[in-house]
Amino acid sequence: MEDASAPGPVTVFDRSADERTAPDLIARLIADTETRVLLIDADRAPVDADGELLLVPVDVARDVAARSAAVAFGAADVSGDATTGESKARSTPPTTERFAFLGRRDGVALLLGVVPGAAELADPTPGAAFAPSVTWVSLRALHPALGAADGALLLEAVSLGRWILDAGHCAFCGAVAELTTGGWARRCTACAREHFPRTDPAVIVAVTDGDRILLGSNALWEQRRYSCFAGFVEAGESLEEAVRREVQEESGIEVESVAYAGSQAWPFPRSLMLGFRARARDARTAHPDGEEILDVRWFTRAEIRAAYAGDSDLLLPGKPSIAHELISTWAAEPDDGEPNPPAGERA
């Protein structure tokens, strides 16, 4: 797919995974003046005046990291090793500087620089590579506007950056776990166990009935917002079982003809969204669970098309969500002309 906001496999830069095990990879790339760094503060990244994702030289990245660390912990604590991101003095908080290898684009090495608090600095844009007009924008707001290459890079960086910050200690013994493999693994300094970034599979489902689609309104959303049904896969559960369980729990509908439709990585918190389409066995059984889902409703293609055209007050998922892809793809299909089974528009 060319559009970075669309889910699915997008091969737009080389992750160069075989390089991750190279000795002193991060140290060598930090010393290379050609290397470029994507800075990430939580889910925010810097963009230039044209709204383009900003990749900076290593010296600029290290300066931003050092100043954000100084603000967070005080200048006396900024004593970390830039090649590993670990503090030299274990008794003090670790520095906020973290580097990881994202891959290569046109042969140029790309690093991730995780810099918590950088977006809040009074002057977060030092160096000639930064212009005063540089701003920090969240992934949710920025991703839909990016091209395929930058969109995929941003998703990878935010996902890996969250793990780097959250997984600094061994889950088994609690000792410090040092970054290895170019930032894609950690090894415990006490028990030597290896830890890797966690990805949680979740299913998201477009349920149809003839020429209608069933959408639900979550209790946390504003009124008039509807989307597909979704939930995490449970231990020991297949994807198809998760689809059937989640749809039944949230909407009262039993489904059949479950078919895989595509996937999308989404780092909120660390999900791999697996999209499906399924057909309702009996549309008349639809009802909200009353807790997570407050309303469920059958929509025609004409209603969905009108909403995306801005001709109704219905609020639907926008780019870059896979929910948008599932709903808009269905809405673009022609009606089959068959009458729908009898059921009320609103369950």
Side-chain angles (χ1 to χ4, degrees):
M1 297 183 181
E2 293 300 322
D3 185 355
S5 65
V10 183
T11 306
V12 289
F13 70 95
D14 183 7
R15 292 193 176 212
S16 197
D18 57 324
E19 286 192 70
R20 297 174 188 170
T21 57
D24 302 321
L25 173 65
I26 301 300
R28 289 190 291 102
L29 294 180
I30 285 176
D32 186 348
T33 58
E34 297 298 316
T35 298
R36 290 296 178 265
V37 184
L38 173 55
L39 297 173
I40 294 293
D41 178 2
D43 68 338
R44 291 178 290 183
V47 298
D48 62 21
D50 296 323
E52 298 294 330
L53 197 64
L54 196 60
L55 302 177
V56 302
V58 172
D59 59 341
V60 175
R62 294 185 69 177
D63 181 65
V64 173
R67 293 191 305 113
S68 63
V71 171
F73 302 126
D77 293 328
V78 184
S79 57
D81 182 346
T83 64
T84 65
E86 294 300 338
S87 175
K88 293 178 180 177
R90 298 298 183 189
S91 60
T92 62
T95 76
T96 53
E97 184 175 358
R98 300 289 189 275
F99 286 118
F101 180 58
L102 294 174
R104 291 183 179 272
R105 181 185 294 170
D106 299 326
V108 175
L110 304 178
L111 292 181
L112 159 67
V114 186
V115 285
E120 307 304 327
L121 293 173
D123 177 21
T125 58
F130 280 81
S133 57
V134 168
T135 56
W136 291 76
V137 183
S138 72
L139 182 147
R140 292 181 188 273
L142 179 58
H143 191 253
L146 295 176
D150 283 349
L153 185 66
L154 180 61
L155 277 177
E156 179 183 347
V158 171
S159 299
L160 184 59
R162 283 170 171 256
W163 175 78
I164 286 175
L165 285 183
D166 293 344
H169 292 80
C170 177
F172 292 93
C173 71
V176 170
E178 294 183 326
L179 287 173
T180 64
T181 322
W184 287 87
R186 285 186 180 273
R187 180 176 292 108
C188 178
T189 56
C191 68
R193 283 185 170 89
E194 280 196 301
H195 303 276
F196 301 92
R198 173 176 168 179
T199 297
D200 296 332
V203 295
I204 182 166
V205 194
V207 179
T208 61
D209 170 52
D211 291 326
R212 301 181 302 173
I213 189 171
L214 183 67
L215 302 177
S217 183
N218 192 284
L220 300 178
W221 299 341
E222 68 269 47
Q223 291 183 347
R224 299 180 287 105
R225 181 171 295 282
Y226 288 80
S227 186
C228 299
F229 302 97
F232 288 104
V233 180
E234 294 183 346
E237 188 175 48
S238 71
L239 298 177
E240 291 79 7
E241 288 171 330
V243 167
R244 296 185 180 95
R245 175 184 54 77
E246 283 291 343
V247 174
Q248 199 283 325
E249 287 177 356
E250 295 185 353
S251 73
I253 288 286
E254 293 185 4
V255 297
E256 57 190 5
S257 302
V258 177
Y260 176 72
S263 66
Q264 180 187 37
W266 196 238
F268 297 104
R270 48 181 172 267
S271 305
L272 175 62
M273 303 299 296
L274 300 153
F276 289 84
R277 289 179 63 164
R279 188 170 62 236
R281 288 182 177 174
D282 186 349
R284 294 167 295 183
T285 64
H287 64 274
D289 64 14
E291 296 181 3
E292 182 176 354
I293 304 298
L294 296 186
D295 188 35
V296 296
R297 181 178 172 186
W298 289 104
F299 294 92
T300 65
R301 285 190 173 88
E303 289 175 303
I304 298 297
R305 292 166 183 163
Y308 277 128
D311 296 331
S312 81
D313 61 0
L314 173 63
L315 301 176
L316 295 174
K319 294 180 178 182
S321 69
I322 191 172
H324 174 276
E325 182 81 359
L326 291 169
I327 296 170
S328 62
T329 297
W330 173 84
E333 298 170 358
D335 284 344
D336 59 22
E338 295 294 325
N340 293 311
E345 180 182 81
R346 186 182 298 276

